[in-house]
Amino acid sequence: MEHHQHQHAQVGTQPGPDADHVALIQAAWRRERPDLDVSPLAVIGRLHRLAARLTGELTLVYARYGLSEGEFDVLAALRRAGAPYERAPGELAAHTMVTTGAMTKRIDRLERAGLVTRRHAEDDRRGRVVALTDAGLRLIDEAFTAHVRNEHRLLALLSPEESAALRSLLTTWQQRLDGTRPGAADG
């Protein structure tokens, strides 16, 4: 009986033979810091690893079109704007969530590649605008088609029901997180 209790006490602290990387990390932390509940690692750690893996899968497609992730984002933001496919640099920064300094570097590279142009805005309210060239429009349409195909491939690893459940959970979690101020849960 004593041996059985010892085995039972180990359940959840030792990963099985098929344990993933996150389970191994959790087991190590449970061993080293049994005073802490490290169960959030099962979700946060896996999401972090999954996000890195997905980014790697997505950037492979961008690279086939000679684009970095950031350059793809700029071209996509211009394409989403609709004809004449232009935005002010500040708008581009807001639509891609990067600093204006980082945006300037991306625009410089895209302009050198002949995919965008810069000019003064005709109404002068926006100062300068960045617009897709014909070559930029063709490239982002091809790259985005491949990108969406790639996302379908990645999501096809889940059943339609699993995908719907995940979408719902992630949406709920993001809405709740967005409703709190950063660090509010730290106590």
Side-chain angles (χ1 to χ4, degrees):
M1 183 73 172
E2 209 173 310
H3 183 261
H4 177 71
Q5 285 176 340
H6 178 70
Q7 283 180 334
H8 180 66
Q10 292 297 313
V11 172
T13 61
Q14 296 297 319
D18 296 326
D20 65 20
H21 187 74
V22 173
L24 294 171
I25 290 172
Q26 273 187 287
W29 277 120
R30 283 186 182 117
R31 182 190 68 237
E32 295 299 316
R33 292 293 309 269
D35 57 309
L36 292 178
D37 173 10
V38 296
S39 61
L41 286 172
V43 175
I44 305 289
R46 284 187 178 91
L47 280 174
H48 183 73
R49 289 178 59 83
L50 183 61
R53 175 68 190 272
L54 290 173
T55 297
E57 295 285 335
L58 298 177
T59 56
L60 286 173
V61 171
Y62 309 151
R64 287 202 317 253
Y65 293 88
L67 299 170
S68 68
E69 183 179 23
E71 293 162 349
F72 177 90
D73 286 348
V74 171
L75 296 178
L78 290 169
R79 181 62 175 94
R80 287 192 313 270
Y85 312 113
E86 61 184 35
R87 294 185 192 271
E91 291 174 319
L92 281 173
H95 282 272
T96 58
M97 297 180 291
V98 297
T99 65
T100 53
M103 182 55 61
T104 298
K105 290 177 184 173
R106 291 177 183 181
I107 294 167
D108 287 347
R109 288 192 301 266
L110 292 167
E111 188 175 36
R112 282 194 302 272
L115 301 172
V116 302
T117 60
R118 284 185 176 108
R119 63 173 176 74
H120 286 286
E122 289 156 15
D123 61 14
D124 208 46
R125 286 181 306 193
R126 296 189 293 173
R128 293 176 65 87
V129 295
V130 178
L132 286 176
T133 61
D134 289 342
L137 178 60
R138 283 191 305 275
L139 182 70
I140 192 56
D141 277 349
E142 286 180 37
F144 187 70
T145 298
H147 168 73
V148 171
R149 191 178 307 120
N150 192 31
E151 286 193 338
H152 278 284
R153 175 188 66 85
L154 294 166
L155 208 50
L157 297 170
L158 299 175
S159 71
E161 296 79 16
E162 289 168 331
S163 179
L166 182 60
R167 182 175 51 249
S168 178
L169 282 170
L170 291 175
T171 300
T172 298
W173 192 8
Q174 182 164 8
Q175 288 171 343
R176 290 179 186 170
L177 189 60
D178 289 347
T180 64
R181 70 183 202 289
D186 291 345

